[in-house]
Structure formats: C-alpha cells, structure tokens
C-alpha cells in the first residue's frame, strides 16, 4: 500500500469514526455498532498481546468498548479516534493486569531455542516464537508495555508514545532496554539481525 | 501492518514480535458488546422510582408540624392586628417584633433551603445534567 493511499484510507476511516461518534452522542446507540465492528479486531489483538488468553482478551476488549461508549462525549476529535481508543484500552489493560496479573513464568525459566546456529539464517519456529512473545510478558511493566504497544502499532514510535503518554526519547530508551533483556535471554536473536538493535528505531525516527 | 518493515525483516526479534498471526473476533462478539450497551442505555434512561415508602412516614410526621406553624401564624396575625402595630411595617418584621424566636426560625429555614439547593445542584452535576 503506498503512502497517499494509506493516508486516504486513514482519512476516510477517521470520517467514518467521526460520523458514528456524532450519531452516538446524538442518542443513536445503534451507530456504535459501526465502531465496534471496525475496531473489535485491533482491540482484541491488543488485549491478546497483554494477556495471551483469548477469553480474557475478549472480555477486556468488551470492557474497553463499554468505557468508550460511556466516555464518547469526551473525545473532542482533536486526536485520531484510534489514538483515543487505544489510550483508553492501554489504561484499562494496565489497571486490570495489576488487579489480576497474567500468569507468567519468570523470564529465566522460559526455554531458550536450542539450535541457535541454524537460526542464524532462518527465523525461529512457531513454538520458539511463542516463547519469545511470552517472554515479553515476563518483562517489568515499564519495558513490557512499550514493547507490546510498539509492535502492535506496527513499530510506530509516535503512535506508541501517544498511547503511553510518554516522550519518544523515554520510549526509545525503554524499548532498547527491553530488547536487551530479551536478547540476553535468547542469544539466538542477537546474531540473526544484519543491523544493530537501534537501526530500526533510527530508521523509524527518520521516517 | 507497516509494509516497509514486512519487506525488511532484518531483525529476528522485530520479526517475531511484529508479525503475529492476528486473532479473529468471535462471531458473537460485536452482538454481545451491543447487548451490554443497550442494557446500560436502558438502565441509564429508566427514571428512578420516587421512594414513597421512605418519604411517606416523614411527610405524615410533617403534617402536625405544618399545622402548628399555620396556627402560630394565624395567632401572630391576630395579635398583630389587635396591638395595631405600624400598618406599613412588613408582616415578618411585625412577627419578629412580637416574638424574637421567629428570627432564629427564619434563619434555620434559610439554611435548610440553601442546603437543599446545594444538594440538588451537586446531584445534577453527578448525573451529568448540569
């Protein structure tokens, strides 16, 4: 997808959200279904990254929609609807996970992929990839959340920092630290990249 | 998904964390969200029943008090007309002149009215009616 087409799609999506929100605020609750259908996938996937539990992910996503519906008049349209929705979701997931933490093994107990030499040219297999993703949940919250959201937001620093309400510099530092911890735990990850850890971040900033 | 990244999976960690198979929402997910929203909207618009059961005993007790007040007022009026106080003086001033306790009663009434008003305004704000 080229950039202008992406912008056009983003613009029309924004318009659709705006129209739906205006209708809901005017009292047409049925219009909220458009919002639910448009954002259910991203929200469930975001919750999944926080929980790794499908049932709980759907419960949390449902709760986000309810809160969004209640607080819809507070969205003034100055930020993208998706940014507002994701920030709301991140707050809720953070609070809920503090109350009922996801059961995670300590990062050191997560098995490391064995055949690290073969992995230098190929990506990890499915279960090994799953181990790495689960290891993110074992990181301290200050590194975990930036890691979860940065990749959820398709490696977009600006959107991630807006969702977390932290400066981009802080976000980059936390991402770097989170990656370091994971790379130490999974040395196989360290040798496969052709570029240093910060290269992608720098390219992202340049974009 | 950021396609620039997808075509440039030069980092295994980035690749693993960014390219996760997306979950598809359950078929009834949207319907169940809308059901909860409809329920909540109905509950939000349903007027709260006036608590007659709780209020009625208080109102019944209030009747003798009101009757007593009316009686006292009538008595005061009669006394005021009998003593022929200054005809231009307002009724309340005459009543207070005859019985200084009325001033205290009036202050209590004003305080009660102010408290009621403040409570009503706070309630309106809490339910978002402004």
């Amino acid at each position: 997808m080229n950039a202008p087409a992406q912008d056009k799609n983003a613009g029309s999506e924004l318009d659709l959200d705006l129209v739906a929100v205006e209708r809901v605020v005017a009292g047409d609750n049925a219009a909220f279904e458009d919002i639910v259908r448009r954002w259910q996938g991203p929200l469930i996937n975001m919750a999944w990254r926080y929980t790794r539990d499908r049932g709980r992910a759907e419960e949390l996503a449902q709760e986000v929609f309810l809160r969004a519906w209640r607080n819809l008049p507070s969205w003034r349209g100055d930020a993208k609807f998706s940014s507002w929705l994701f920030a709301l979701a991140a707050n809720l997931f953070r609070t809920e996970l503090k109350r009922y933490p996801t059961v995670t093994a300590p990062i050191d107990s997560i098995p490391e992929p064995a055949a690290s030499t073969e992995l230098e040219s190929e990506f990890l297999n499915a279960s090994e990839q799953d181990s790495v993703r689960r290891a993110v949940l074992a990181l301290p919250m200050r590194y975990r959340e930036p890691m979860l959201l940065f990749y959820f937001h398709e490696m977009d620093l600006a959107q991630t920092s807006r969702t977390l309400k932290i400066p981009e510099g802080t976000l980059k530092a936390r991402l770097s630290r989170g990656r370091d911890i994971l790379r130490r735990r999974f040395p196989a990850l360290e040798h496969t990249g052709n570029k240093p850890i910060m290269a992608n971040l720098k390219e992202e900033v340049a974009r | 998904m950021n396609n620039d990244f997808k075509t440039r999976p030069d980092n295994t960690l980035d690749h693993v964390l960014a390219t996760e198979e997306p979950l598809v929402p359950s078929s009834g997910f949207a319907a169940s969200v809308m059901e909860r929203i409809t329920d909540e909207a109905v509950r939000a618009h349903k007027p709260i029943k006036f608590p007659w059961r709780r209020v009625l005993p208080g109102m019944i007790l209030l009747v003798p008090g009101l009757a007593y007040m009316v009686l006292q007022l009538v008595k005061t009026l009669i006394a005021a007309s009998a003593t022929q106080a200054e005809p231009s003086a307002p009724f309340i001033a005459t009543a207070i002149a005859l019985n200084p306790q009325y001033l205290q009663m009036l202050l209590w009434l004003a305080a009660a009215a102010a408290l009621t008003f403040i409570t009503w305004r706070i309630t309106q704000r809490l339910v978002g009616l402004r």
Side-chain angles (χ1 to χ4, degrees), chain B residues 47-52:
Chain B
I48 299 168
K49 279 185 182 174
F50 191 77
W52 283 111

Side-chain angles (χ1 to χ4, degrees), chain B:
Chain B
M1 180 60 65
N2 183 334
N3 287 328
D4 283 353
F5 172 73
K6 247 188 168 177
T7 54
R8 187 175 44 79
D10 45 43
N11 183 299
T12 307
L13 181 58
D14 286 342
H15 176 82
V16 169
L17 295 177
T19 56
E20 194 169 355
E21 197 62 38
L23 285 185
V24 178
S26 312
S27 55
F29 179 79
S32 104
V33 172
M34 289 312 293
E35 195 179 327
R36 279 189 69 184
I37 282 169
T38 310
D39 284 352
E40 197 165 313
V42 168
R43 257 185 285 130
H45 285 103
K46 208 173 179 180
I48 299 168
K49 279 185 182 174
F50 191 77
W52 283 111
R53 269 190 179 181
R54 286 167 186 264
V55 172
L56 219 55
M59 288 179 90
I60 291 167
L61 284 174
L62 213 67
V63 170
L66 282 171
Y68 176 75
M69 275 178 67
V70 170
L71 191 70
Q72 289 297 313
L73 272 172
V74 171
K75 275 186 182 175
T76 310
L77 270 174
I78 293 166
S81 59
T83 52
Q84 299 220 332
E86 288 176 47
S88 58
F91 165 71
I92 291 175
T94 314
I96 290 168
L98 285 171
N99 188 351
Q101 273 190 335
Y102 284 136
L103 180 63
Q104 199 185 356
M105 287 166 71
L106 271 174
L107 288 174
W108 276 114
L109 273 174
L115 188 67
T116 309
F117 179 74
I118 291 166
T119 312
W120 174 69
R121 288 296 297 168
I122 290 171
T123 316
Q124 293 269 303
R125 271 177 185 249
L126 283 177
V127 297
L129 294 176
R130 297 234 153 210

Side-chain angles (χ1 to χ4, degrees), chain A residues 1 29 32-33 36-37 40 44-45 48-49 52 54 58 62-63 65-66 69-70 123 129 133 136 147 151 154-155 179 183 189 192-195 200 203 207, chain B residues 1-5 8-27 29-34 36-38 40-41 44-45:
Chain A
M1 194 189 298
N29 286 322
F32 195 73
E33 191 163 353
V36 176
R37 294 208 179 273
Q40 59 180 348
I44 289 172
N45 279 284
W48 162 255
R49 285 176 184 240
R52 299 267 141 202
R54 191 195 168 99
E58 291 209 350
Q62 189 172 79
E63 198 55 43
F65 280 121
L66 270 177
W69 176 74
R70 288 183 202 130
F123 294 124
Q129 289 188 15
R133 290 175 190 134
V136 175
M147 296 285 287
Y151 291 101
E154 296 158 1
M155 302 176 76
R179 286 163 169 226
R183 282 169 192 278
L189 295 168
T192 47
N194 296 326
K195 296 183 180 182
N200 287 336
E203 281 179 16
R207 272 206 304 274
Chain B
M1 180 60 65
N2 183 334
N3 287 328
D4 283 353
F5 172 73
R8 187 175 44 79
D10 45 43
N11 183 299
T12 307
L13 181 58
D14 286 342
H15 176 82
V16 169
L17 295 177
T19 56
E20 194 169 355
E21 197 62 38
L23 285 185
V24 178
S26 312
S27 55
F29 179 79
S32 104
V33 172
M34 289 312 293
R36 279 189 69 184
I37 282 169
T38 310
E40 197 165 313
H45 285 103

Side-chain angles (χ1 to χ4, degrees), chain A residues 95-157:
Chain A
T95 313
E96 283 298 309
L97 292 177
K98 272 182 196 159
R99 287 171 62 199
Y100 306 107
T102 303
V103 180
T104 51
I107 196 161
D108 291 335
S109 71
I110 295 168
E112 184 197 330
S116 58
T117 47
E118 289 173 18
L119 292 170
E120 289 188 11
S121 57
E122 289 182 17
F123 294 124
L124 309 176
N125 70 34
S127 74
E128 289 161 347
Q129 289 188 15
D130 192 52
S131 292
V132 176
R133 290 175 190 134
R134 284 183 185 278
V136 175
L137 293 185
L139 290 172
M141 188 53 118
R142 58 192 284 114
Y143 307 125
R144 185 196 317 170
E145 214 176 3
M147 296 285 287
L148 292 173
L149 289 174
F150 178 64
Y151 291 101
F152 173 74
H153 283 312
E154 296 158 1
M155 302 176 76
D156 181 336
L157 278 171

Side-chain angles (χ1 to χ4, degrees), chain A residues 17-36 69 72, chain B residues 34 37-38 41 45:
Chain A
D17 287 329
L18 192 64
V19 169
V21 170
E22 280 172 354
R23 282 175 57 197
V24 176
V25 171
D28 179 9
N29 286 322
F32 195 73
E33 191 163 353
D34 294 346
I35 294 173
V36 176
W69 176 74
L72 221 44
Chain B
M34 289 312 293
I37 282 169
T38 310
H45 285 103

Side-chain angles (χ1 to χ4, degrees), chain A residues 8 13-14 16 20 43 45 49 53 56 64 76 86 92 113 129 134 141 162 174 186 190-191 194 198 203:
Chain A
K8 200 178 169 187
E13 205 167 66
L14 193 67
L16 289 173
L43 277 187
N45 279 284
R49 285 176 184 240
D53 176 334
R56 196 165 177 208
V64 173
R76 298 182 204 292
F86 291 144
L92 177 81
Q129 289 188 15
R134 284 183 185 278
M141 188 53 118
R162 274 199 300 274
R174 290 185 187 177
F186 300 97
E190 198 160 14
H191 304 295
N194 296 326
M198 290 306 287
E203 281 179 16

